[in-house]
Amino acid sequence: MTWLPLLATVIGAAIALGSALLVERRRERREDRTERRKSKQDLYGRFLAAHAHTRAQLRILAETSGLSDEERANRARAAYAGCYAPRYELEVLAPQPVLTPALEFDLRAKALRDLVIEGTNIQAQGENYLREYLHWLKIVRTAMRADLGTGDT
């Protein structure tokens, strides 16, 4: 009979320890999910912001006259250069349903850049390219919002 209180104490300690570990593990998972979501939000924001900045720069560049072909090409490449880092980060962190349309969208951005390098006015002659670019932008945004679980997708 003297072992019964000791056994009850050991079992109680095991239950308490198990409960504490379970609660801690759940908390860690929740924090990991929150941190991962925040990282994705930041990355998706940087990716879209870089492309918005590039689009604005390319639009301005396409309407600027008096530039040599070399200067126009250098400026167009420089405008797009800010898109590389967020794209590479996306390739590492984003799930496939976001990555696939993001890479397609990025290809459309490069096509616009190349049109500007050629001296094409993207508003006038590059209308189809711009329409396709904006179409893929919408698809990427929808995929990102679905991945983050934010609002209507």
Side-chain angles (χ1 to χ4, degrees):
M1 286 267 188
T2 60
W3 291 98
L4 192 56
L6 181 60
L7 183 60
T9 302
V10 170
I11 291 174
I15 291 171
L17 181 62
S19 296
L21 290 174
L22 181 63
V23 167
E24 181 65 20
R25 181 67 182 139
R26 282 187 173 177
R27 186 184 60 77
E28 285 176 3
R29 283 184 187 166
R30 187 173 47 249
E31 287 175 0
D32 285 348
R33 279 193 309 268
T34 301
E35 188 176 317
R36 198 169 31 252
R37 185 174 192 276
K38 178 70 172 129
S39 294
K40 283 182 183 180
Q41 283 176 320
D42 292 344
L43 173 57
Y44 294 170
R46 283 193 313 274
F47 179 82
L48 293 174
H51 277 278
H53 178 75
T54 296
R55 183 176 67 241
Q57 293 300 313
L58 290 175
R59 195 173 263 173
I60 290 168
L61 188 56
E63 294 172 0
T64 302
S65 59
L67 296 175
S68 69
D69 291 344
E70 183 178 346
E71 186 177 1
R72 180 180 309 285
N74 289 338
R75 286 187 184 183
R77 287 185 188 102
Y80 179 79
C83 295
Y84 284 113
R87 189 190 74 216
Y88 290 138
E89 286 181 66
L90 206 66
E91 289 178 8
V92 172
L93 295 176
Q96 202 62 44
V98 172
L99 183 59
T100 300
L103 293 177
E104 287 293 327
F105 170 65
D106 192 64
L107 287 174
R108 293 343 183 262
K110 286 179 186 177
L112 286 178
R113 176 202 62 193
D114 294 344
L115 283 177
V116 171
I117 288 173
E118 293 169 3
T120 305
N121 185 321
I122 56 177
Q123 292 294 84
Q125 294 104 349
E127 194 174 310
N128 289 336
Y129 286 90
L130 189 57
R131 188 174 23 259
E132 197 171 324
Y133 171 88
L134 293 173
H135 170 74
W136 279 99
L137 173 60
K138 184 178 179 181
I139 291 171
V140 168
R141 271 195 228 138
T142 301
M144 289 176 173
R145 290 179 63 80
D147 182 44
L148 295 172
T150 56
D152 296 340
T153 52

